[in-house]
Amino acid sequence: MSTKNWRPQTKAVRGGQIRSSFDETSEALVLTSGYAYPSAEEAEKTFKGESSHYQYSRFGNPTVQMFQDRLAGLEGAEACLATATGMSAIFYALLALLKSGDRIVAARQLFGSCHYIINELLPRYGIKGEFVDGTDLAQWEKALSTPAQAVLFESPSNPMLDIVDVKAVCDLAHKAGATVVLDNAFATPILQRPLEFGADVVVHSATKYIDGQGRTLGGAVLGKKSFIIDKLQPITRNTGPSLSPFNAWVLVKGMETLGLRVERHCANASKVADALAEHPAIARALYPGRKDHPQHALAARQMSGFGGVVAFDLKGGKEAAFKALNRLKLVDISNNLGDAKSMVTHPATTTHMRIGAEERAKLGITDGTVRISVGLEDVTDIIDDLHQALGQ
Ligand SMILES: *Cc1c(COP(=O)(O)O)cnc(C)c1O
């Protein structure tokens, strides 16, 4: 039985495993920065690239390799390169694609730090950025009527859970000569495999659902060997955004339960969204799995489930939102997400504070917007806590 034919859940448990000479059943944590060579000749061969011997953990590490191979199997990618964080995955993917004089088109529905990269950092190196509303194909079409080298978006997006038509945007991007980079952190490969819809590069914040228990930071870039190995790897090897072997080990073990956890996150989030939508203090609840979500049909086409995050607007604005957050007894106030523990944040004053009121308005983030990352507690306890906090 070839490992290629394994179904996703088997790949998540066993994909990429490298057993050492001790024949351990659980993946080994190879916590080392360097490696000893059996001979000077072997060291020379390794540096010439003629031996598969490990050289240095900035270049490669068996535990990191297991993480990369397991995730590549789940995403259906030829190759994967692990990074220290999700942001380094995104930044290095763009760095490997773009040079001075190039142009990037991105959905404005992007993680806060991506706005800094596109608006502040890349222009310093002569790279121009342009934002569009990710849900509006006419805006993508207009922006991509002039040549571009990269396209970047997330779907579902943070925090308003907008869904981008992956296939349609990839077709437009390819006609413009652009490579498509898609941030798949919210969906995970369990719910969405963007490479199947034409995306060229997938990036992950493994900090979120892949770890799933809020322990470590981590990231990954996935795609064709010609990009990951030939273009990206020389840059990361020589500049060092490496994932620590310890964090890789946590993430490798996290993937074994990813499918089970994501399934429960989705089930809990769906019930929380329905409970919130019916609450009199709430103007609207956004969840891609609800029929009243503007892109529900599209989400159902390109995803096999709708994720663990719900956004909602309180009628009473910031004051009501803060009051509700401060009353929570079970759910934590935290800007992290994808944890087994439920967490809420008020995007306008935390994750999306820096982008400013005007940009927030374009994204639909109001002063009453709250994002909840629905955890793995008993969903009745989560809903009870939200009800008591909202005043019922
Ligand atoms: C958290 C997050 C990131 C950044 O990842 P880090 O691991 O915190 O660097 C990027 N994109 C999305 C969608 C995220 O949720």
Side-chain angles (χ1 to χ4, degrees):
M1 185 178 170
S2 148
T3 60
K4 271 227 165 89
N5 298 329
W6 281 348
R7 288 158 186 86
Q9 185 53 39
T10 309
K11 287 182 181 168
V13 175
R14 292 189 175 265
Q17 185 167 13
I18 305 166
R19 280 209 171 116
S20 80
S21 56
F22 297 116
D23 289 330
E24 66 282 352
T25 50
S26 172
E27 290 72 1
L29 167 50
V30 186
L31 197 57
T32 185
S33 46
Y35 306 86
Y37 305 94
S39 65
E41 286 77 11
E42 185 68 18
E44 183 185 30
K45 269 210 233 157
T46 303
F47 272 74
K48 278 184 170 167
E50 292 165 2
S51 158
S52 59
H53 199 283
Y54 282 96
Q55 179 175 348
Y56 187 53
S57 283
R58 173 152 47 75
F59 278 53
N61 171 281
T63 311
V64 174
Q65 190 66 49
M66 287 193 264
F67 166 71
Q68 293 175 157
D69 291 346
R70 188 164 291 183
L71 187 56
L74 284 183
E75 281 287 2
E78 280 180 18
C80 172
L81 202 145
T83 56
T85 65
M87 281 322 304
S88 56
I90 296 168
F91 180 61
Y92 273 89
L94 297 180
L95 199 66
L97 285 172
L98 297 166
K99 61 181 188 323
S100 175
D102 282 352
R103 181 169 169 265
I104 174 171
V105 178
R108 63 164 38 86
Q109 293 95 331
L110 273 186
F111 193 72
S113 294
C114 296
H115 285 260
Y116 170 79
I117 290 176
I118 293 172
N119 286 328
E120 316 258 337
L121 202 52
L122 294 181
R124 282 195 217 164
Y125 303 96
I127 298 157
K128 270 207 273 197
E130 186 177 332
F131 285 105
V132 299
D133 174 351
T135 65
D136 185 346
L137 281 179
Q139 287 191 30
W140 282 110
E141 193 166 6
K142 183 156 173 275
L144 291 168
S145 62
T146 36
Q149 287 66 40
V151 157
L152 173 67
F153 63 90
E154 27 182 277
S155 183
S157 72
N158 179 26
M160 301 309 280
L161 307 164
D162 287 314
I163 307 291
V164 176
D165 188 330
V166 180
K167 179 156 191 325
V169 172
C170 288
D171 287 347
L172 290 168
H174 292 153
K175 273 188 219 140
T179 299
V180 176
V181 181
L182 198 157
D183 181 338
N184 204 26
F186 268 47
T188 82
I190 302 297
L191 303 179
Q192 174 172 271
R193 280 173 298 282
L195 300 175
E196 291 172 7
F197 290 91
D200 304 292
V201 177
V202 167
V203 287
H204 272 288
S205 169
T207 313
K208 311 296 165 52
Y209 291 99
I210 291 175
D211 172 10
Q213 291 163 70
R215 299 164 294 190
T216 67
L217 297 172
V221 188
L222 299 107
K224 290 214 158 67
K225 279 189 181 142
S226 56
F227 176 67
I228 301 291
I229 306 299
D230 300 345
K231 294 215 171 96
L232 179 61
Q233 187 171 270
I235 299 176
T236 57
R237 283 187 163 182
N238 289 295
T239 60
S242 325
L243 179 66
S244 124
F246 180 82
N247 290 356
W249 179 78
V250 171
L251 298 170
V252 161
K253 301 309 283 179
M255 264 186 281
E256 295 180 357
T257 56
L258 180 63
L260 290 170
R261 288 186 286 104
V262 165
E263 211 174 277
R264 181 61 66 86
H265 279 294
C266 291
N268 284 359
S270 168
K271 288 179 187 155
V272 166
D274 289 346
L276 289 168
E278 282 163 18
H279 196 280
I282 282 166
R284 61 168 185 168
L286 283 167
Y287 183 64
R290 279 178 59 83
K291 292 212 169 60
D292 60 1
H293 184 285
Q295 296 101 33
H296 171 68
L298 172 62
R301 273 211 305 280
Q302 59 191 31
M303 300 172 76
S304 60
F306 303 103
V309 180
V310 179
F312 56 99
D313 286 335
L314 276 103
K315 287 177 186 161
K318 180 181 170 182
E319 201 188 320
F322 272 36
K323 211 166 160 185
L325 260 58
N326 290 336
R327 276 187 184 158
L328 289 164
K329 294 193 171 87
L330 172 73
V331 179
D332 290 315
I333 302 172
S334 172
N335 49 285
N336 199 11
L337 63 92
D339 198 302
K341 295 181 170 63
S342 294
M343 291 168 182
V344 288
T345 196
H346 181 249
T349 54
T350 61
T351 53
H352 290 68
M353 179 189 67
R354 288 227 168 77
I355 63 169
E358 199 181 318
E359 193 63 24
R360 278 199 298 279
K362 286 186 195 159
L363 296 177
I365 302 171
T366 71
D367 287 348
T369 301
V370 172
R371 181 194 77 193
I372 176 164
S373 167
V374 181
L376 302 177
E377 303 95 339
D378 189 303
V379 70
T380 309
D381 288 331
I382 302 170
I383 291 171
D384 283 352
D385 195 34
L386 290 166
H387 278 165
Q388 69 78 21
L390 291 164
Q392 181 180 299

